[in-house]
Every structure is written in C-alpha cells, then in structure tokens.
Amino acid sequence: MNMKRRVQLVLFDLDGTLADTGADLADSVNFTRARFDLPPLAAERIHAEVGLGVEHLLRHTLPIKNATHFHQVMGVFTAYYEAHLLDKTVLYPGVREVLEYFRDKRRVVATNKIQRFAEAVVRGLGMGDSFDLILGGDSATEKKPHPALITMALERFQTAASSALMVGDGDTDIEAGKRAGVMTCAVSYGLGDKARLSAAKPDLIIGQLTDLQIYFD
C-alpha cells in the first residue's frame, strides 16, 4: 500500500513544469539574434539554456561582447518577450487539476524567470487565483540552485522544510530543494536536461504532473 506524504506547501517551477514556454522563449531569443545580425538557433539549443534566468539564457545564446552590449541585448529581448510571452505558451496537461487538488495547501511559484514575466504568464494562463505567492528570479538575492526562493516561501508561510515540496523539470530546481531541506519531485516532460535531472537525485521522478496526487496529500 502506498503511503502518501503530507505536505503543507507546494512550490512549482514555471518554465517546463507548469507551462510550456519553450516556443515563445526561443522565438524571443531568435528575434534578438536577428536584431544583431545573427542567424537563428534551433529551438532545442535555446531550450537547453532555459531555467537559470534571463542573464544565463542570453549569455549562452548570443555572443556578448561587453556590459554595454549585454544591456542592449537584454533590452531587445525583454521588450520583445514581454509583448509575446503568451503567443504560444500553454499549460501542461493536468496543471489545473493538480492546483485544485492542493487547494487547501500553500501553492507557490518559485521560478528564475523575471518576476513580472512570471506573473504575466500565470495571470495570462488563468492561474492568477491559484497561487498564494509568485517568486521570480529577481525576488531574492540569489537564483536557483541557491535555496533563497524556497527559504523565502518557507519563512513567509512559517512552514517546516520537511512539510514542503519542490516540483521542477530542471536539476537547478532539485538542487535548490535539497539545499533548502524540502522534498523534491522532478517532472520528466519539461525543458530540462533529462540526464542532469536524474543525476540530481530527486526524491521522486514523475512523467505527468497529475502523478503528484498519487504520492502527496
């Protein structure tokens, strides 16, 4: 018989976990590359750099010359992405069902995405009322894999780490969760590298988000 683990707080990564944002991110990177007379990259190549924040994404998908150039690149990317972040982005299957399942728990988005973009995606996909807190990559001094975002949520809701769960598609999510002392669950359907995700040794790996209902209550 399977014994479900009790949780009081569930933290979800956004890109690749709740929402398939890959196409809009790739389009925005390639728009930016075109503005600097660079050819487009394959979407998969861009997806491989998603999850560590916008600075990482741009530094690893464009040849950055110096700080001034980076500032220009960032300006082009953020302006375009802000206007197009819901063009192709959709929720993964089962997200609404899972959020309803955990309706009596604290539900938090903990993403390295810029906070205003995270809020726009969550609201735009009709999930605005489903979360108690949205934390972005600029909400704390450090991004995942640093545990700062998770620790912030634990403190905000006065929840013991042992009663919290971090769910994500990237090894950064799992490492952040482990460093914060919470339970960790990896989803295998997202944008994250599957080998690195497995190597991070999450407590659990699931193939679809609704599987959370099997293991946690």
Side-chain angles (χ1 to χ4, degrees):
M1 177 181 169
N2 176 53
M3 291 291 290
K4 291 188 179 185
R5 296 287 300 270
R6 298 300 304 273
V7 293
Q8 298 301 324
L9 168 67
V10 187
L11 303 111
F12 297 93
D13 175 50
L14 181 57
D15 300 87
T17 301
L18 295 174
D20 185 354
T21 57
D24 287 330
L25 286 167
D27 287 350
S28 299
V29 166
N30 280 329
F31 174 85
T32 306
R33 286 178 60 87
R35 282 284 297 273
F36 290 92
D37 299 318
L38 296 165
L41 294 176
E44 294 74 17
R45 167 72 183 80
I46 297 169
H47 295 166
E49 305 300 343
V50 172
L52 284 165
V54 65
E55 296 91 346
H56 175 95
L57 175 65
L58 296 177
R59 289 185 185 281
H60 287 77
T61 55
L62 285 99
I64 304 297
K65 300 181 180 71
N66 52 46
T68 301
H69 182 229
F70 179 77
H71 184 72
Q72 294 170 341
V73 166
M74 177 74 99
V76 171
F77 174 86
T78 54
Y80 184 87
Y81 185 62
E82 192 152 25
H84 296 275
L85 48 70
L86 290 168
D87 285 5
K88 300 174 182 175
T89 289
V90 294
L91 289 178
Y92 284 109
V95 169
R96 295 188 195 283
E97 179 184 335
V98 167
L99 292 173
E100 174 64 18
Y101 176 78
F102 287 119
R103 66 188 177 279
D104 296 329
K105 315 297 182 181
R106 295 294 189 180
R107 297 163 298 178
V108 174
V109 171
T111 175
N112 282 342
K113 198 181 202 71
I114 293 171
Q115 173 136 5
R116 73 178 192 274
F117 294 167
E119 290 174 350
V121 169
V122 169
R123 282 198 309 270
L125 294 174
M127 298 190 295
D129 296 330
S130 297
F131 293 100
D132 299 284
L133 183 64
I134 297 173
L135 296 174
D138 48 343
S139 299
T141 53
E142 301 280 354
K143 296 179 176 67
K144 297 177 293 183
H146 192 281
L149 291 177
I150 299 173
T151 301
M152 187 180 290
L154 293 174
E155 291 174 353
R156 173 76 63 89
F157 298 115
Q158 298 184 319
T159 303
S162 58
S163 297
L165 170 68
M166 178 71 216
V167 183
D169 70 308
D171 56 313
T172 51
D173 302 310
I174 304 308
E175 183 179 338
K178 286 180 174 293
R179 289 170 68 181
V182 305
M183 292 178 278
T184 56
C185 177
V187 299
S188 62
Y189 56 75
L191 302 172
D193 181 88
K194 306 301 178 283
R196 291 210 306 265
L197 192 59
S198 179
K201 294 186 167 47
D203 295 318
L204 183 67
I205 299 178
I206 57 176
Q208 53 191 14
L209 200 64
T210 49
D211 288 348
L212 286 174
Q213 298 169 87
I214 300 170
Y215 300 100
F216 300 98
D217 68 8

